Amino acid sequence: MDAQVKEPIIEIRDLTKKYGDKTAVNSLNLTIDKGEVFGLLGPNGAGKTTTILMLLGLTEPTSGSAKILGMDCTREPIRVKQIVGYLPDNVGFYPDMTGRQNLAFTGRMNGLSEEQIRERTNRLLERVGMTKAADQKTGTYSRGMRQRLGVADVLMKDPQIIIMDEPTLGIDPEGMRELLELIGKLSKEDGRTLLISSHQLYQIQQVCDRVGIFVDGNLIACGGIRDLGKQIQQENHYSLEIEVKPCDDRLLAEIMGQHGIENIEKKGDRMIIHSVCDIRAQITAYLGNNGYAIQHLHQRGGDLDEIYRRYFEKAGQANENIHSHKGVGQALRFFGRKKEK
């Protein structure tokens, strides 16, 4: 996405949702631009699910507002649903119908003509790599096949915004690569806006322009991955991953005596050195001058895993299981249509 041309398409202002005494989403403010891929990260109960449901018009906020292209998601849900596509974490299709038949059904529910249905079905099946399996019953599909057909299903109504929940969950590496490539094309080639909820941080790092991190209903960090990494480092948090031979107690003691070192985690010949400044130059110089062989060296501050961990620590949530997530499993795959069991 061209960073110089920004056109807000999703605007959330002071959005709050309470269930009794529990605040699920607390005064959320967020703007997502046209053509952007935005990653929504956070553990169970963090507020991701509730935020998505409010954007889809499936639950009403306690206060605040969410707008898509200027349309209020609560007051104008039908108009919003006409331009928003939703891909749940566990895509449901009618198992006794073929992939082609399922797409045609979705097309009819969206008011497409039979000619439009045929054209879009053929084009989209080819785009998601499902042409060969199009006439097989979806009950025989693997999870990866269902996810790819799910993308085609979402695209049948040609939405401007697509919301995806755990799109790569349970897919093999090759299928994941293909799906991530498709997600990138939906943004860069089609100009669509994507909101992706996921716990698979490495995958999010590859496709997202920006990420938002949720903790206890609060958006505690939001920005580009590189920018968030720099912010962490500016707050004097650096983590240097290094593998050295030999990695003995004498070496650990010497490194701990270096300027700026906070603590060291040791696993075999690999260490993670936490410091308040960038110590790469002084550490490599010391190791080289004292006969140690460096096998591996990596500054971890800019990785999404490290950013995620640091922000959770800042929010007092260091003991949260940050890799435990639950999608919007009960939401509708197609608006106005019940998800089949």
Side-chain angles (χ1 to χ4, degrees), residues 5 21 121 139 171 193 196 246 270 310:
V5 180
D21 296 332
T121 297
I171 301 179
T193 305
I196 303 176
R270 183 161 296 198
R310 286 291 187 181

Side-chain angles (χ1 to χ4, degrees), residues 11 16-17 48 113 116 142 203 232 276 318 326 339:
E11 297 177 281
T16 300
K17 180 65 177 181
K48 306 188 322 300
S113 68
Q116 287 176 313
S142 67
Q203 284 73 35
I232 288 289
V276 298
K326 182 179 181 180
K339 179 181 178 182

